[in-house]
Amino acid sequence: MKQKNSIFQKGLILFALGCMFAAAPHAGRLQAQEAAQFSQFFVNRLFYNPAAINTDGLFRASLTDREQWWGTPNHPSYRLLNTSYYFKDKNMGVGMSLHQWNANVENNVVFKLDYMYCLQVGHDAYINFGVNLGVKRRFLSDGILPDGEMYVSTGDEFNPNMDMGLGIEFHTSEIVAGFSAQNLPIKIGKSPSLDAFHTYFYFGYNFELDPDWSLFPMVAARIAEKSADVDVSLRAIYRDVLQFGVVYRLDAFVITAGVNINRNFGLSYAFDANIGKNSKAYKPSHELTLTYRADFKRPDRPLLPTF
């Protein structure tokens, strides 16, 4: 079994390197962000990948508020609610995501249901297969456009549309890696709410330094039709209580911190400082996440540190 797990681990490391090479050709033509981009990727994996449901048998819920470029006129604002539960006796998990964001005159609401099936492939190796399906609705409201012109909404610019995604995630007590394809092109009716097709790759490895401390580096790549970005993060984790770290992105440098307040509730925060061409044009971003885990108990093997 150990030899089998070693083969999987080597394969996943090669997978991570492939993610970075896949994103590289797009990174040079980085353009405006095409979908929500949360700096605390490790908290909001379920938003990006329907297979990212933890298999520890806990009910999990997280609520994230992101104020991007806080203080900049008409700055984008995001809210995300994720919930999930894994049924150990059936090797399956279910989840739900409710996402709302607004920027300038545009408002979007997305509701998705997630299903995941877990397949054990080694002594401590698992593969999750996931699918999500939901409804997307886009609204335009009265306001001022970036060029200073007034916009008056007619109220019928867009119609609701179906939204679908597929994903896979591999994990052990040390490794987590995944791939997903989101916003699959499903058009219903005239003028549907559509987003660009996105793919996501990520790879993380939990290095246990001693019984109390561990380091968790992660690489996450987002690739769309006209843009791409890569997050390289490193977090220090103290038991299942405290974590802090840094994230480098092509357009920002991020500082993160989080604490589990008690057996059930956790709180984490991210501060984005813009770099590159956006460093003077936009103010910093702030992201706050409240998490809840029900029936918490210390498992036989370490939890994936997701807070």
Side-chain angles (χ1 to χ4, degrees), residues 41-53 60 80-84 94-97 112 114 116 132 169 182 202:
F41 187 93
F42 46 87
V43 177
N44 293 304
R45 290 198 335 272
L46 185 60
F47 173 75
Y48 298 104
N49 188 351
I53 294 179
R60 293 173 176 267
L80 174 64
L81 172 65
N82 285 324
T83 63
S84 66
V94 295
M96 180 273 291
S97 294
K112 289 185 179 182
D114 305 271
M116 178 274 284
N132 59 29
E169 182 175 280
Q182 299 293 313
Y202 55 90

Side-chain angles (χ1 to χ4, degrees), residues 32-38 64-80 99-108 144 146 251 272 274 278 281-288:
Q33 138 185 351
E34 297 182 61
Q37 181 169 275
F38 294 100
T64 298
D65 179 81
R66 177 175 177 80
E67 302 297 328
Q68 188 161 319
W69 310 323
W70 176 268
T72 304
N74 303 315
H75 73 278
S77 180
Y78 305 86
R79 280 147 293 276
L80 174 64
H99 173 228
Q100 183 272 332
W101 73 270
N102 60 276
N104 209 2
V105 301
E106 185 174 349
N107 293 273
N108 292 263
I144 301 176
D251 59 354
D272 294 32
N274 301 307
N278 293 331
Y282 301 107
K283 296 185 178 182
S285 302
H286 304 268
E287 186 177 298
L288 188 66

Side-chain angles (χ1 to χ4, degrees), residues 1-12:
M1 286 293 185
K2 290 184 179 179
Q3 183 178 5
K4 187 175 182 180
N5 286 345
S6 176
I7 294 174
F8 273 110
Q9 292 181 8
K10 291 179 181 177
L12 264 295

Side-chain angles (χ1 to χ4, degrees), residues 215-267:
L215 290 177
F216 195 94
M218 174 176 273
V219 177
R222 307 170 175 89
I223 303 175
E225 295 176 358
K226 297 182 180 180
S227 67
D229 215 337
V230 178
D231 288 10
V232 180
S233 63
L234 177 64
R235 287 182 296 140
I237 303 165
Y238 177 70
R239 296 183 177 176
D240 192 33
V241 178
L242 178 69
Q243 63 93 8
F244 53 89
V246 294
V247 182
Y248 171 76
R249 198 163 56 237
L250 296 179
D251 59 354
F253 181 80
V254 185
I255 298 175
T256 67
V259 61
N260 278 337
I261 302 170
N262 55 30
R263 290 162 60 93
N264 300 109
F265 288 95
L267 190 66

